[in-house]
Amino acid sequence: MAEAERIIGTPDSAGADESAASDGTEAPVERPRGRRRILALFVVALLAYLLDLGSKILVVEKLEGREPIRVIGDLLRFDAIRNPGAAFGMGEAFTVIFTCIAAAVIVVIIRLARKLYSLPWAIALGLLLGGALGNLTDRIFRSPGVFEGAVVDFIAPAHFAVFNLADSAIVCGGILIVILSFRGLDPDGTVHKD
């Protein structure tokens, strides 16, 4: 248990070493690890958001209204579609509700960030935050209007729903959260056994 806490860091070990150096001088003050984890969360979120935004701009400019591009034969193609609903095109009449849910997820993640001392959780929440921001941007700024915008989807595997990089970030973040929860790692860095 102590080894796991040493590796992942806990709130108790997150601060600087307060003991003085052997020559009597004070040890240099280190920034608390919690701040670095918050920074990691926002860097991951920004990268996920920018990749999603850039890919959607490129898809709208180069692919929308054109024939799909076959990437791997019939297994994978790029095909620009506008999705006003949720995954698999469900809930097209509830675009405003999906917009509110995405906004709520963003607020919850930002609030949770203050208690964050685990790098894996920072990465997972950063992926969720970046993905939610990516799709929320579409919902707010794309046609047919504010809070009713259709999300740009373009990754089309055979026999599966068409999705985008924001969706991928959300799914990867969610899978990582499930794994971390099963391993007993909490966002504050503590490890527990059930």
Side-chain angles (χ1 to χ4, degrees), residues 2 13 19-20 33 40 55 61 63 72 76 89 95 106 109 111 123 131 141 143 145 157 160 166 181 184 192 194:
S13 65
S19 62
R33 287 185 175 200
S55 67
E61 182 180 310
L63 188 60
I72 304 174
L76 178 66
T95 304
I106 291 166
I109 291 171
R111 290 188 54 130
I123 293 168
F141 295 109
S143 62
F160 196 72
S181 297
H192 59 84
D194 285 341

Side-chain angles (χ1 to χ4, degrees), residues 42-54 126-131 134 165-166 169:
F42 288 112
V43 166
V44 169
L46 182 63
L47 286 173
Y49 177 72
L50 291 176
L51 284 171
D52 178 65
L53 186 62
L127 289 168
L128 286 177
L129 180 60
L165 294 181

